[in-house]
Amino acid sequence: MTSSGTLPATTEEGTDWIARAHRDHVLTSWTKQSGPMPITVVDAAGCWFTDSEGNRYLDFLSQLVNMNLGHQHPKLVEAIADQARTSCFIGPTFANEARSRLALELDALTPGNLTSSFFTTGGAAANEAAIAIARAVTGRHKVIARYRSYHGASAGAMTLTGDPRRWGLEPLTTPGVVRMLDPYVPGGGNADDPRFSAAHLEEILRYENPGSVAAVIMETVTGTNGPIVPPPGYLKAVREICDRYGIMLICDEVMVGFGRLGTWFGIEQFDVVPDILTTAKGINSGYVPLGATIVGEHIRDALREIPLPTGLTYAGHPLACGSAVAAIQIMKDEKVVENAAVQGDRLKRGLDELVERHPSAGGIRGLGLIWGIDLVGADGNPLIPFKGTPEQAAPGAAVVKAAKDRGLWIGRQDSVIRLAPPLVITAEEIDLALSILDEALVHADNAVGASR
């Protein structure tokens, strides 16, 4: 048997071979493998990256909303090198300085009685571990999750996920997941409607038998499905309902933890402490794969009597933990969380002005440095239907393309334009992004028969 792949013979081939090799030999997440030639990134620093054609982009998505410290932060790169010289790997049952330091940092940073961490390789594994722990400690099997959610692509995490990416993997094999609606109505939001309030959860529990429910899991602020910020009192009401029935509350902060909302953790904004908090991405800005499942003291004490019902070869990988310790220190020294709050306010003010100028911008939603612009038609409804066809999605795609052609890297989910820059973003970079968005939104205005 011979391989069809060939390595470049010399550097004289330039960079073209990189994209070809990726297209032909790398399987890319969530896309048809017959798609266009991928962009080859040849340089990146701070909030910017450059492709092989010399095009420079302001990364207003932080890649996968994980590079909170931006690209190639020199202190974090050096810290990873230092950790590699000290300890590249030791098994998860051994004590290791980087692992223990990170556990202490998380104990100090997280609110309430959250105290002990199981370290994973990312957010999906963190959520899988959270569910396994909740089931083991409560002795119950059902889990309630929301429709507009994304908890990861592993089998268990995808079962929790309500995002349509789940459809292609069904039937999924993890039993006991029940869904609830989110506190959001497309095109607006209607927190007063009981169908979209915490009361909806209690109604579901009556049908499902609350004594069979181990946990309720929800993103504190929804991420890839377009930011959904819980209305006032929502999370507290969910917390009270969970307490009433002995159900664990799991808050998924894989995307919004570590400063994204302008506080270290999103739950600080809502004065709620979950039983379990999951996080990843911003914990070390994605420089080394890492996630964490952080449990309260009551769960830690219960796990002293029963075995932890999960495990990973790379749980608490020293390179990952060392990078996270360094990332947290950098965030403290450089006041990154404070910058996220300040620049988030600046971004919100600018987006509010865009809504006033663009008929297709029906509104914005978000906190800190994660925002969505709702594109709407002349009737005020979403401009692009849920799971719309490529033709129906064309106006949103045109906005994204116009922004990228002008050097701004943004995203879109159905009718929502997604924005999530690195937390080290400057005021000047915020203003540049807003000016490009101002030009790009004209394409959506034209689609609804309106002009600026």
Side-chain angles (χ1 to χ4, degrees):
M1 179 180 290
T2 60
S3 171
S4 60
T6 55
L7 295 176
T10 71
T11 56
E12 292 177 0
E13 281 196 55
T15 60
D16 289 349
W17 68 270
I18 299 174
R20 290 198 306 273
H22 183 108
R23 181 196 59 194
D24 295 339
H25 303 288
V26 176
L27 299 179
T28 303
S29 305
W30 304 120
T31 63
K32 293 181 179 179
Q33 304 306 303
S34 58
M37 193 73 77
I39 291 174
T40 299
V41 175
V42 296
D43 188 37
C47 298
W48 297 81
F49 64 92
T50 305
D51 69 17
S52 57
E53 303 297 320
N55 300 307
R56 194 163 179 254
Y57 300 95
L58 177 56
D59 189 350
F60 231 65
L61 277 181
S62 305
Q63 290 301 290
L64 299 181
V65 195
N66 61 338
M67 302 200 78
N68 290 10
L69 289 175
H71 297 263
Q72 297 301 111
H73 193 294
K75 291 181 181 178
L76 187 48
V77 171
E78 185 58 31
I80 294 169
D82 288 344
Q83 180 61 47
R85 285 187 281 267
T86 302
S87 173
C88 281
F89 180 76
I90 194 74
T93 58
F94 295 92
N96 170 269
E97 181 178 350
R99 190 180 295 148
S100 293
R101 283 191 181 278
L102 179 55
L104 289 174
E105 285 281 9
L106 296 183
D107 177 47
L109 283 174
T110 51
N113 70 347
L114 293 166
T115 188
S116 296
S117 299
F118 174 68
F119 295 116
T120 71
T121 53
N127 286 325
E128 292 249 15
I131 297 304
I133 291 169
R135 285 172 165 165
V137 172
T138 64
R140 303 172 179 182
H141 71 283
K142 288 183 182 176
V143 179
I144 297 178
R146 299 199 312 197
Y147 274 105
R148 291 178 179 269
S149 65
Y150 181 75
H151 296 292
S154 57
M158 186 54 72
T159 307
L160 299 171
T161 291
D163 184 299
R165 283 175 282 189
R166 164 177 53 89
W167 297 356
L169 298 175
E170 291 177 330
L172 292 158
T173 57
T174 304
V177 174
V178 178
R179 299 210 186 282
M180 65 179 287
L181 295 170
D182 315 87
Y184 173 75
V185 179
N190 188 2
D192 295 330
D193 190 319
R195 293 175 299 167
F196 309 106
S197 71
H200 174 55
L201 169 61
E202 192 147 29
E203 182 180 7
I204 288 174
L205 288 173
R206 285 199 296 270
Y207 300 136
E208 291 292 338
N209 175 17
S212 69
V213 178
V216 172
I217 184 170
M218 57 181 59
E219 294 165 276
T220 307
V221 170
T222 305
T224 55
N225 281 265
I228 298 175
V229 179
Y234 176 87
L235 281 177
K236 275 196 169 184
V238 170
R239 171 77 274 181
E240 290 167 1
I241 291 168
C242 287
D243 288 342
R244 192 177 310 141
Y245 296 106
I247 297 168
M248 290 190 181
L249 175 61
I250 302 170
C251 284
D252 176 345
E253 297 213 357
V254 168
M255 190 167 286
V256 302
F258 288 92
R260 176 59 57 184
L261 301 185
T263 49
W264 278 98
F265 295 97
I267 53 175
E268 297 173 50
Q269 308 245 1
F270 305 101
D271 194 25
V272 166
V273 178
D275 298 283
I276 304 176
L277 178 75
T278 61
T279 192
K281 292 186 182 284
I283 191 171
N284 63 352
S285 289
Y287 281 42
V288 181
L290 179 65
T293 305
I294 310 168
V295 305
E297 290 178 355
H298 56 300
I299 298 176
R300 187 270 317 275
D301 292 344
L303 290 171
R304 286 175 169 156
E305 304 300 323
I306 60 174
L308 181 74
T310 187
L312 293 167
T313 297
Y314 298 114
H317 194 290
L319 280 179
C321 290
S323 69
V325 171
I328 290 168
Q329 191 59 52
I330 291 166
M331 293 178 76
K332 292 177 180 177
D333 292 345
E334 299 183 5
K335 300 189 182 303
V336 171
V337 177
E338 294 85 344
N339 186 67
V342 170
Q343 302 307 334
D345 287 343
R346 187 182 191 92
L347 180 56
K348 180 184 183 300
R349 289 194 299 271
L351 292 174
D352 281 333
E353 293 175 4
L354 292 183
V355 169
E356 291 297 318
R357 288 200 294 276
H358 293 276
S360 63
I364 60 171
R365 43 193 168 105
L367 276 177
L369 284 174
I370 184 167
W371 288 90
I373 304 173
D374 280 309
L375 300 180
V376 298
D379 58 1
N381 291 319
L383 183 60
I384 301 165
F386 180 74
K387 289 290 288 181
T389 65
E391 292 76 17
Q392 291 171 321
V399 171
V400 172
K401 182 179 185 301
K404 291 178 179 177
D405 288 346
R406 291 163 173 78
L408 181 67
W409 195 265
I410 60 175
R412 181 186 63 85
Q413 180 79 3
D414 292 323
S415 279
V416 184
I417 299 298
R418 295 178 51 230
L419 313 168
L423 308 190
V424 294
I425 195 88
T426 65
E428 293 76 18
E429 289 166 334
I430 291 284
D431 292 346
L432 173 61
L434 288 167
S435 68
I436 294 174
L437 283 168
D438 196 13
E439 298 173 357
L441 284 168
V442 171
H443 293 271
D445 293 341
N446 293 338
V448 296
S451 59
R452 290 178 56 190

